[in-house]
Amino acid sequence: MIGFDIGGTKCAVSIGEEKGGKLEIREKRAIPTDLTISPYEMIDKMLELAEMMTDNIDVIGISCGGPLDAKKGLILSPPNLLKWDNVKIVDYIHNKCGTKAYLENDANACALAEWKYGAGQGCENIIFMTFGTGLGAGLILNGKLYRGACDMAGEAGHIRLSSFGPVGYGKIGSFEGFCSGNGIAQLGKNFALEKLQMGEKVSYCSDFSEINHITAKLIAECAFEGAEDAIYVFKKCGEMLGYGLSILIDTLNPERIILGSIFQRCEDLLREPMQKVLTNECLSYSLKACEIVPAKLEDNIGDYAALTVAALNRGNEHNE
């Protein structure tokens, strides 16, 4: 099986196989995403990589950021993929090399991967949340991937949690605005400006000239070293994470919520403030039934996601 993980900065091609109920990555190669060439030329580069890695391409799974139409195999102008407008990637691959390909939204693909091979194994109702540069979600409900009416289900990052706050997903005070790498950086910048204007010191920013160099990673490093101001930024993020998750828990009644990327690395900073808000906000029965855990597939989740799309559709290529 081949996996194509398409992103705004790089595209990764991986080879995998299932063994004993586990998905193993045999080889992976990545190339920069070249937005100066046409999408189909970029797809050709990925196909060339795949052909260099193996001469036995059974099925290709594609994980890509939305919006997209999974059923029609169309990529529909993702904000991080300039000029990728109505790209017929599935038909193009099939017409070019005769191989069946299957497309899935990246958050959905990650949810499928964690459900089948990671922290969601054995569950019927899970929510996976990316919690990286942005905040997207994939929903497995009653043992099936839930896409919604137009493949837009799971866009939890767009939920507005406050009338004021960091901007995420084009909305002030959104879930993504508070709970993402960009959001944490914005929280840190606002807090630093407040303190610097009062003549106070900030652990992760020595003066106004460094404001635009503040990142979530930098704040986290200071927080883990015990800096109270950096810990405060993560406390605020954790509280808003709790508010956002409480909406999902009370609405969808999941048995497990799986949080990726930043939560994996910063759980010790986020868990306590998140849990306090959940206890106050959630219906007690729903909260008791829900376990919140870090993603298990970690930094390789994009590769597992694309390969999982291939794995779950393997066999269809002989029947269609």
Side-chain angles (χ1 to χ4, degrees):
M1 296 176 291
I2 297 288
F4 286 179
D5 180 21
I6 301 174
T9 57
K10 68 178 178 67
C11 292
V13 179
S14 53
I15 299 176
E17 61 182 334
E18 278 190 300
K19 283 186 177 180
K22 294 183 179 180
L23 186 60
E24 295 183 3
I25 299 173
R26 286 171 41 197
E27 188 178 356
K28 170 188 171 179
R29 298 186 189 184
I31 52 176
T33 303
D34 189 346
L35 298 177
T36 67
I37 61 177
S38 78
Y40 296 105
E41 289 176 290
M42 194 65 216
I43 296 166
D44 285 342
K45 286 178 177 287
M46 287 185 280
L47 288 170
E48 288 169 11
L49 266 187
E51 289 169 358
M52 290 168 59
M53 295 160 72
T54 179
D55 57 2
N56 182 25
I57 301 176
D58 192 7
V59 60
I60 297 175
I62 307 160
S63 172
C64 182
L68 51 78
D69 187 324
K71 290 182 179 178
K72 293 181 179 179
L74 294 173
I75 297 174
L76 305 170
S77 308
N80 63 338
L81 290 170
L82 189 66
K83 297 190 295 186
W84 285 59
D85 306 319
N86 298 309
V87 177
K88 300 178 180 179
I89 188 169
V90 167
D91 285 347
Y92 181 78
I93 290 173
H94 183 57
N95 292 335
K96 186 174 181 68
C97 57
T99 303
K100 283 289 185 181
Y102 298 88
L103 174 67
E104 192 58 75
N105 173 285
D106 55 359
N108 286 349
C110 288
L112 289 167
E114 285 287 346
W115 179 44
K116 288 296 184 181
Y117 306 108
Q121 287 180 298
C123 297
E124 290 289 303
N125 296 278
I126 71 166
I127 300 172
F128 170 81
M129 306 193 77
T130 54
F131 204 163
T133 304
L135 185 74
L139 310 175
I140 306 293
L141 303 178
N142 294 330
K144 293 181 180 180
L145 175 65
Y146 181 74
R147 291 193 179 91
C150 62
D151 267 344
M152 291 295 286
E155 298 294 354
H158 202 236
I159 297 170
R160 195 189 301 275
L161 298 179
S162 173
S163 58
F164 182 77
V167 178
Y169 218 128
K171 185 182 283 185
I172 289 175
S174 68
F175 198 171
E176 181 174 297
F178 286 104
C179 300
S180 64
N182 288 333
I184 292 169
Q186 288 183 67
L187 283 171
K189 288 175 185 179
N190 291 339
F191 184 71
L193 278 172
E194 182 181 352
K195 292 297 180 183
L196 291 172
Q197 287 178 5
M198 297 298 291
E200 299 178 33
K201 293 183 178 180
V202 180
S203 65
Y204 53 87
C205 180
S206 59
D207 57 49
F208 291 104
S209 67
E210 295 183 356
I211 288 290
N212 291 328
H213 300 293
I214 293 172
T215 63
K217 182 180 179 181
L218 176 60
I219 300 169
E221 288 171 352
C222 292
F224 280 119
E225 290 173 359
E228 291 296 327
D229 49 7
I231 291 171
Y232 173 82
V233 173
F234 271 87
K235 179 184 177 184
K236 183 63 176 178
C237 175
E239 289 172 350
M240 301 311 288
L241 177 62
Y243 282 114
L245 293 183
S246 68
I247 294 170
L248 299 177
I249 290 170
D250 285 348
T251 304
L252 299 175
N253 192 204
E255 59 196 286
R256 194 166 295 166
I257 296 177
I258 302 165
L259 301 173
S261 196
I262 291 172
F263 189 81
Q264 290 169 221
R265 296 188 287 271
C266 302
E267 182 178 358
D268 291 345
L269 300 172
L270 296 166
R271 171 73 71 173
E272 185 177 346
M274 174 195 76
Q275 200 63 48
K276 284 183 179 179
V277 172
L278 287 172
T279 301
N280 290 332
E281 293 293 321
C282 284
L283 293 167
S284 59
Y285 287 109
S286 298
L287 181 59
K288 187 176 180 180
C290 182
E291 184 181 14
I292 299 171
V293 300
K296 188 175 180 180
L297 300 179
E298 300 181 340
D299 293 337
N300 289 321
I301 191 165
D303 308 310
Y304 279 110
L307 287 168
T308 299
V309 174
L312 293 179
N313 287 287
R314 197 175 190 180
N316 290 348
E317 72 273 14
H318 303 303
N319 300 323
E320 296 179 4

